[in-house]
Every structure is written in structure tokens, then in C-alpha cells.
């Protein structure tokens, strides 16, 4: 049986070494690691000190203030990455003409853990009335592909898988399948994570899988004989 072939037409990296194709490439050429000392929370209770945080992330560069309130940090990365990829590809889209043949395939291991953690703190301080009524829609893993579809008017197939570190790669494979089997003509595919939080870092630190190197410049060294664990990072592509 003849199956359609597919090509990747654009990318939209949101990373700790640069956001957007050009800045990301500049970061690679500069041989930057992007690993810094953790700043989003106090890491002193743990032995882990470094992570790949997005420097100076300002969601209002992409969203209205009202929209920002409805998106977990991981979903912000996902939608912003999709916007950059669409611009890079040159593919047009319009809410006036809903795109029934454009789908979304996304992946995430942890989904909205940052927002869930924040709301737990609010619950401890204010009780039930401190919980955001939109919480359920913000933290579930599928909020990535759902918000991308809403943002750009895509009405084709939409899925988010949660297969740990392979989630993003699997999403690309699923996108190929959707195009090859004629479900849609175009798929926005990728992965996003925002794991720089107490719960995530604490969970991996307790089982001793993360690097405890205190020097950001040498903490992430995956192919080194003296490697002492992985370094968690946030972002999307």
C-alpha cells in the first residue's frame, strides 16, 4: 500500500540557550550549556543545585495577561513553541477558516506540575477557596495540544502522550503516522516540560538520579566517564 511521505517544515525551540531557531543556533555555535544555579525555588533542602531554566522568560511576549492566567508554564512553552514553528514553516492559519486538516501531536512527562504545586501551597494557606477554579484545565497533560489547537484554530486530530523522556520523540512519530495514514495534511508536533519545581527536583534527588555537581559549567556531562547523574531542564520544541 502506498503511504504518503512527510517532511519537517519548521521548528520552534524554547530552550535555556535560546528561543527561536536563530537564537537557538547561535547558542549551539557558542557552545553554551544554559545550565545555571536553580533560581525558581530554594534548593538548599536538596543536594541538587543546577538546572536548565529559561532565562528571562516573559509569557506576555506571546500572550495577553488574561491568557497567561489560564496557562501553566509548560503549556506556555508549548503554545509559544508552536507559534515559532508555524512562523518558521510559513504555514498560514486563521480562526476565520478553521483548519480541519491540521492536527496537533504533543508529548510531556510531567504536564502542569508547576501550577499544581503552586495551587497546593495556596490551599495550605487559604483552604479550598484559594484553589483556582481553572486548575483542572491547566495541569492535565493534554492542555498542551488543546491550547495549541484553540490558539490557532486547528480541528484535526489532537493528542498528548506521556511516555517519560521519550514523549517528544513519540509525538513526532505519531505525527508521521497521522499524515501517512491520511488523518490530516499537517501536524504540529513536539514536546514541552517545566520541571524546575520542588516536587520534581525533590523526587529525582531522593532516588539519587540527578547530578549533585555544584558547578553549572560541568554539571551536565552525559558522555563523561565521571558523570554523576542527569540535569533537569525546561523548555519546548
Amino acid at each position: 500500500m502506498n503511504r504518503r511521505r512527510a517532511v519537517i517544515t519548521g521548528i520552534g525551540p524554547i530552550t535555556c540557550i535560546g528561543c527561536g531557531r536563530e537564537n537557538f543556533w547561535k547558542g549551539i555555535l557558542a557552545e553554551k550549556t544554559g545550565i545555571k544555579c536553580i533560581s525558581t525555588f530554594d534548593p538548599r533542602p536538596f543536594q541538587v543545585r543546577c538546572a536548565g531554566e529559561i532565562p528571562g522568560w516573559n509569557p506576555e511576549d506571546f500572550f495577553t495577561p488574561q491568557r497567561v492566567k489560564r496557562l501553566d508554564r509548560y503549556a506556555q512553552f508549548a503554545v509559544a513553541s508552536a507559534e515559532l514553528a508555524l512562523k518558521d514553516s510559513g504555514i498560514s492559519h486563521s480562526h476565520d477558516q478553521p483548519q480541519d486538516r491540521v492536527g496537533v501531536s504533543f508529548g510531556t512527562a510531567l504536564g502542569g506540575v508547576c501550577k499544581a504545586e503552586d495551587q497546593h501551597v495556596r490551599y495550605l494557606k487559604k483552604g479550598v477557596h484559594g484553589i483556582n477554579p481553572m486548575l483542572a484545565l491547566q495541569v492535565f497533560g493534554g492542555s498542551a495540544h488543546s491550547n495549541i489547537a484553540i490558539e490557532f484554530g486547528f480541528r484535526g486530530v489532537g493528542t498528548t502522550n506521556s511516555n517519560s523522556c521519550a514523549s517528544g520523540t513519540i509525538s513526532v512519530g505519531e505525527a508521521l503516522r497521522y499524515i501517512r495514514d491520511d488523518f490530516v495534511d499537517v501536524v504540529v508536533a513536539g514536546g514541552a516540560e517545566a520541571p524546575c519545581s520542588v516536587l520534581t527536583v525533590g523526587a529525582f534527588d531522593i532516588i539519587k538520579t540527578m547530578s549533585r555537581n555544584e558547578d553549572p559549567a560541568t554539571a551536565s556531562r552525559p558522555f563523561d566517564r565521571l558523570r554523576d547523574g542527569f540535569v533537569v531542564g525546561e523548555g519546548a520544541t
Side-chain angles (χ1 to χ4, degrees), residues 22-146:
E22 292 184 4
N23 290 330
F24 179 58
W25 182 239
K26 288 178 182 177
I28 292 175
L29 294 179
E31 300 182 1
K32 295 167 58 178
T33 69
I35 307 301
K36 307 292 184 184
C37 292
I38 294 173
S39 63
T40 51
F41 65 91
D42 182 2
R44 285 180 296 180
F46 310 114
Q47 296 187 57
V48 172
R49 295 288 181 269
C50 303
E53 298 175 347
I54 305 293
W57 171 250
N58 181 15
E60 293 187 9
D61 289 342
F62 294 90
F63 312 103
T64 64
Q66 183 178 8
R67 189 87 167 95
V68 170
K69 293 179 181 179
R70 296 176 178 269
L71 296 174
D72 175 78
R73 187 175 176 88
Y74 125 85
Q76 293 173 12
F77 292 155
V79 177
S81 175
E83 179 177 327
L84 292 173
L86 287 167
K87 288 181 179 178
D88 188 40
S89 70
I91 295 174
S92 61
H93 53 84
S94 171
H95 279 281
D96 296 331
Q97 296 179 329
Q99 309 292 303
D100 295 326
R101 294 288 294 177
V102 181
V104 184
S105 174
F106 232 72
T108 181
L110 299 167
V113 65
C114 285
K115 181 64 70 173
E117 184 175 301
D118 172 68
Q119 290 297 298
H120 179 63
V121 173
R122 289 176 61 88
Y123 169 74
L124 294 177
K125 291 181 177 179
K126 299 183 178 181
V128 174
H129 297 292
I131 299 175
N132 187 334
M134 299 293 294
L135 179 63
L137 300 178
Q138 292 174 324
V139 302
F140 85 111
S143 66
H145 87 258
S146 299

Side-chain angles (χ1 to χ4, degrees), residues 59 172 180:
V172 176
R180 184 189 63 190

Side-chain angles (χ1 to χ4, degrees), residues 216-235:
T218 58
S220 180
R221 42 185 179 172
F223 307 110
D224 195 295
R225 182 173 61 87
L226 300 178
R227 176 178 184 262
D228 62 341
F230 73 90
V231 178
V232 71
E234 62 181 1

